[in-house]
Amino acid sequence: MTVGIRHDDLRRRNRAMVISAVRRGGQTSRTGIAAITGLSHSTISSISSDLIAEGILAEARNEPLALKRGRPQVGLTLEPKAAVVMTVVLSLNFLAATLLDYAGEIVAEEQRRLDTRAMPRKQLIDECVAIVRRRLDDRKREGRRVLRIVLAIQGITDAPARAMLWSPITPHTDIAFADILEREFSVPVTVENDCNMMAVALRWRDPERYKDDFIAILLSHGIGMGLVLKGELFTGTHSSGGEFGHMIHRPDGALCRCGRRGCIEAYAGNYAIWRNARMMGEDDEPVDDIDEADMRTLAQVARERDGPERQAYRKAGEALGFGLGSLFALIDPAPVAMVGASTAAFDLIEPALREAIAKTAGGHHSTSISFDTEPDQMALLRDGCAMRALTFIDNDIFASGNPAQMELAAGHEMA
Amino acid sequence: MTVGIRHDDLRRRNRAMVISAVRRGGQTSRTGIAAITGLSHSTISSISSDLIAEGILAEARNEPLALKRGRPQVGLTLEPKAAVVMTVVLSLNFLAATLLDYAGEIVAEEQRRLDTRAMPRKQLIDECVAIVRRRLDDRKREGRRVLRIVLAIQGITDAPARAMLWSPITPHTDIAFADILEREFSVPVTVENDCNMMAVALRWRDPERYKDDFIAILLSHGIGMGLVLKGELFTGTHSSGGEFGHMIHRPDGALCRCGRRGCIEAYAGNYAIWRNARMMGEDDEPVDDIDEADMRTLAQVARERDGPERQAYRKAGEALGFGLGSLFALIDPAPVAMVGASTAAFDLIEPALREAIAKTAGGHHSTSISFDTEPDQMALLRDGCAMRALTFIDNDIFASGNPAQMELAAGHEMA
DNA sequence: GCTCTTTTTTTCGAGCCTCGAAAAAAGTGT
DNA sequence: ACACTTTTTTCGAGGCTCGAAAAAAAGAGC
C-alpha cells in the first residue's frame, strides 16, 4: 500500500513541479508556471523565491519575455552552478564520459576506444572508474559538487538500475557498477539500458512527436528498444526489459547472438543481414563486429540489384514488421523512431516491414504509422543520460528543501 | 504536465487511503490503519469519524479484534448500505447482471442465454439495457442508489473504457455502451475487457500470489490476456490492449478467427485445437463454437493415445510457450494464471509450453515459472467487475467528501 | 515629463490539514 | 478495587495554499 501523504510532501511535490516547468519551458515567468501547474500565484511566488534563495533557480534579467503593456514578466531559469552531473556511456569498444551543469550544458567530455570484448572483468571496471575519476578531477568542474552519475550500458540492466546483468559487449555478467562507483566516489549512481536513455532523449528533444507513447528501436549490430507508454519509461519487472530484439520471430529459426533461435535480432541485426546477404547458413555463428563501411557497401549493392543482399534486407524488414505487429497487439500502435547508423539502409527495410505489419492484428492502420530515423545514437544516448541525471536531482534532491541535502549540494568538495 | 497539488487533494487522498485499507483488510482498527498508511493516529481518528458520520464506514462493535490487555481495538468495516453497484457481463451467447452492496455482497443476480452472434445490433443493445433496467428495479436494492455500472465484454474496448470496439461475440463493432447506458439510467458506466477484469479479481482473491506483476491467460474458444505490471492493470494506449492471442506465432501461418494468419490463437484457441485434432487444414475457416463436452472428449482421447489429438494440444502448448517467451522478453517472467474451462486440459498443454518457453530469451528460469489454473472464469469475471466498480466509488466519490457527491449517493431515487 | 492603464509579482490574513503530546476511554490482571 | 496497558480522542502548534489587495514595473497617451 502506498504511504499516506504528509504535509511536507505537499510542498515537495509543488517545488518539483515548479522546477520541472522551468526545465521544460526554458525561460518561464512565474505567471506562466502558475498557469501550467494550476497553483495560485501566491504559491508560485513563495516557492520560486525559496528556490532562488537556495541557488536552484535564477532570474534572467537580461531579455524580457514579451513586449507588451504591463509589468514585464521576469523569466526564471535553472541556475547552472546549482550542480553538476556526469554521464558515462559504455558501448562495444567505446567508453565516454560527459560532465554537464545543472542547466544541461556540457562542461567537459572524454571519449576512448577500447577492446571491451577481450577485456578481463577487472580491467573493464577499472576503465570505467578511471574515466569517472579523470572527469571528476577536471578543473572545469570548478569545485561544483557532482550530484549524480548515470551510466548507460548496451545490454540488460536490473530493475533498480544498480547493475549490468548481461551485455553483448563483454562476456562478463552481473557487474554491480552502481555499487562500485558509489563506493569509489560517494556519488549516487544508476545504471541504465542504452535504448531506454535514447527514448528519454527523444522525448526531451521533440516532445510534440514523442509525447506519451512511442517506441525507439535501435538498428545496429543487435536490435534494441526503448519504450515510453503513458508518459512513463517502460521497463521489465526485474530487468530493464523491453528486449524487442529477442522476441521470437520464427520458432526454432535462425541462430541468434544470444545463443537461442529465431529471435528478431537473428534476422534484423547487422550480423544477421550480413549472414543472409553472404548466403551463409542460418545456423552459422554470428560474426563479432561488422565495419560500418561494409554495411554501407552492402546496402548500396542491395539498392542496385535484386540479389541476396536485397533479400537479406527484406528478411530484416519482415522480422521487424511481424515483431512490431506483435508488440502493437499488446500496446496498440505508436510512433516509431528508428535509431542508429543502420537506419541509413531503412529504405531497404521499410517496404517489407510495412508489408509484414499489415498482416498483423496491430497493423490495422499500418500506413498511418510513422517511422522516423535518427542516425546519431551517441548524441541521443548522452542527452538521455543527462536528462535522467538532472531530473533525478530536480525531483529527489532539490524538490525537498531538506537543509542537509542542500548543504551537500553546496559543498565544494566530496567526502 | 500533471497539475499541482492543492490542499484539498491532500485530504482526499488520505481519505481514499483509509477506505482502501478497510476494503483490503476487512475489519481493521484505527491503529492498524495508522500503521498501514503511515499517517498519525490523530489524522486517522479525524478521517474515520468523518467517514462514519457520512455513512461510508461503520464500527463493528460485535466481535473484538484481539484478546489482549488494554483498550480493545474497534474494528472498522465498510457500511454495506453506503451504495450499490451493478456488474454486467456480456460473453458469447450469455448475459448476466449482478447487484452488489458497498461491502461487496451480492444483492441480486440474473443470467440469460441469448444468441449474441445472430442478433442485430439494436437487439443486442436492447438486451443489455433491459437486464440493467430489471436489476435496477429489483426491490432488494431497497432504494439504495446505484453509483456505478461496470460492463465487461469479451473483446476489445477503448482506452477510456467507454465503448466496445470489436468482439468475437457479435459481427457489430464500435458500440458505445457507456454512453447508451448512461443516457438511459444516469449512472456512470465503464466498459471493460473481460480478461482485464479477471486479472483484477485474481489480485483481490489471492494478493499473496498475484501481487504486483502477473499474467492471466484465458484459454477458451479464443485466447485472451489480462496483465498486471507494477501493481497497475496494463492496457493499450488506445484500446484495452494486451491482445496476447493475436501476437504472431508463425508468420503467414494458420488462419485465425480474426482473419489474419499465424496468431497464437490460431494454434491455441479451442477452434484451433479442434481443427488440428480433426486434421483439417490450417487454412480451414474456424468453426463458430465447440461444445465443452466435445472438448473434454477430445482431451480424453489425447490423454489415451498419441495421435492427432495429442499433437493438437502440443501445438497449442508450443504457441503459448513461444508467445509467453516473447512476452517475457518484454516484461520479464511473472506468475501466470490459466483461466477458463479449457484449463482442464492444461496437463496436455504444459509440457510443450515449457519446452517452447525454455527456448526463448525470457525463459531463463522456465522451471521456476508457476502456472496456476482457475477453471471458473465467470465468477472471476463478476468479482473483478465488482471490485472495479467499488474501488471507483472509493476513490472517486467517497474519497472527496464533496457534499454534492455525497448527497447524490444518499439520494433514494435516481434522476 | 507626467499620468493612466495594464500586467506581473508580492504581501497578508483566513482556512485547512497533519502532527505530537496529553488526556480520556475501555478493557485485563491481581 | 486498583494498577496497568492499549486504543482513541482532543487540543494547540506549525505549515501550506488560496484569494484579495497592494505594490511594482513597465507601455500608452497627451
Side-chain angles (χ1 to χ4, degrees), chain A residues 38-163:
Chain A
L39 296 168
S40 73
H41 287 195
S42 24
T43 302
I44 300 300
S45 178
S46 155
I47 289 176
S48 51
S49 80
D50 283 1
L51 291 174
I52 290 169
E54 292 165 20
I56 295 167
L57 297 186
E59 292 192 333
R61 280 254 161 247
N62 37 2
E63 24 184 332
L65 280 170
L67 296 145
K68 42 179 186 174
R69 273 180 90 147
R71 177 172 172 174
Q73 302 188 342
V74 180
L76 295 177
T77 60
L78 301 166
E79 170 56 57
K81 291 197 290 292
V84 168
V85 298
M86 186 166 347
T87 68
V88 182
V89 172
L90 178 56
S91 314
L92 183 61
N93 301 334
F94 181 79
L95 179 63
T98 309
L99 213 56
L100 302 101
D101 66 26
Y102 186 58
E105 292 298 312
I106 294 175
V107 173
E109 267 190 295
E110 176 182 350
Q111 306 190 347
R112 293 171 78 77
R113 310 221 121 257
L114 30 78
D115 188 0
T116 53
R117 230 190 296 245
M119 277 185 173
R121 185 187 180 93
K122 184 172 180 321
Q123 194 188 340
L124 187 70
I125 294 171
D126 287 349
E127 284 283 356
C128 292
V129 171
I131 201 171
V132 170
R133 191 186 310 282
R134 280 194 300 275
R135 281 323 106 205
L136 279 178
D137 291 345
D138 198 305
R139 58 219 287 253
K140 295 210 201 88
R141 182 159 70 83
E142 293 167 348
R144 292 173 288 191
R145 180 166 172 93
V146 177
L147 287 183
R148 190 79 175 182
I149 299 173
V150 170
L151 171 58
I153 295 196
Q154 196 184 330
I156 300 175
T157 60
D158 65 344
R162 307 289 309 162

Side-chain angles (χ1 to χ4, degrees), chain B residues 164-413:
Chain B
M164 179 205 89
L165 300 178
W166 178 89
S167 172
I169 69 160
T170 173
H172 311 295
T173 59
D174 298 294
I175 306 181
F177 279 109
D179 293 336
I180 293 166
L181 291 172
E182 283 183 3
R183 237 190 328 266
E184 195 74 30
F185 302 111
S186 308
V187 176
V189 178
T190 61
V191 182
E192 309 276 353
N193 171 269
D194 59 340
C195 291
N196 285 350
M197 291 304 99
M198 290 178 198
V200 168
L202 283 170
R203 202 162 142 72
W204 280 97
R205 196 175 279 193
D206 188 350
E208 282 303 303
R209 184 188 300 270
Y210 304 111
K211 273 166 93 85
D212 287 346
D213 305 286
F214 65 91
I215 304 168
I217 291 187
L218 175 67
L219 301 181
S220 177
H221 195 65
I223 303 293
M225 178 178 71
L227 189 55
V228 171
L229 293 178
K230 290 163 195 152
E232 293 271 318
L233 192 59
F234 181 87
T235 61
T237 57
H238 303 303
S239 74
S240 46
E243 284 295 319
F244 176 76
H246 299 283
M247 289 174 72
I248 302 297
H249 172 45
R250 292 186 186 277
D252 303 312
L255 181 63
C256 179
R257 185 169 57 155
C258 71
R260 283 167 286 260
R261 292 182 163 280
C263 303
I264 291 173
E265 187 177 295
Y267 295 88
N270 282 354
Y271 65 84
I273 294 172
W274 185 262
R275 188 167 57 184
N276 282 330
R278 290 291 143 104
M279 297 177 63
M280 296 151 82
E282 289 198 335
D283 295 352
D284 285 17
E285 201 65 35
V287 295
D288 262 6
D289 199 5
I290 299 162
D291 202 71
E292 230 166 72
D294 289 342
M295 287 306 291
R296 274 197 298 274
T297 313
L298 193 69
Q300 206 44 49
V301 174
R303 281 192 197 92
E304 277 159 18
R305 66 153 192 261
D306 191 358
E309 295 86 0
R310 194 177 289 179
Q311 274 307 312
Y313 278 105
R314 276 199 58 80
K315 282 188 184 170
E318 196 181 58
L320 291 170
F322 279 114
L324 278 175
S326 286
L327 184 62
F328 287 167
L330 295 175
I331 64 163
D332 293 327
V336 179
M338 295 286 176
V339 182
S342 298
T343 56
F346 190 63
D347 57 313
L348 293 162
I349 292 172
E350 188 170 1
L353 191 159
R354 287 197 182 271
E355 214 173 283
I357 215 173
K359 291 181 189 169
T360 68
H364 275 288
H365 315 91
S366 57
T367 49
S368 72
I369 299 166
S370 78
F371 294 97
D372 253 34
T373 57
E374 176 56 62
D376 188 357
Q377 72 197 65
M378 273 305 158
L380 217 51
L381 195 40
R382 190 201 51 212
D383 291 358
C385 291
M387 290 320 300
R388 189 65 157 187
L390 291 169
T391 50
F392 170 83
I393 294 180
D394 292 348
N395 295 318
D396 288 20
I397 303 183
F398 287 170
S400 67
N402 186 325
Q405 294 273 29
M406 308 313 298
E407 202 182 325
L408 274 179
H412 284 234
E413 270 319 310

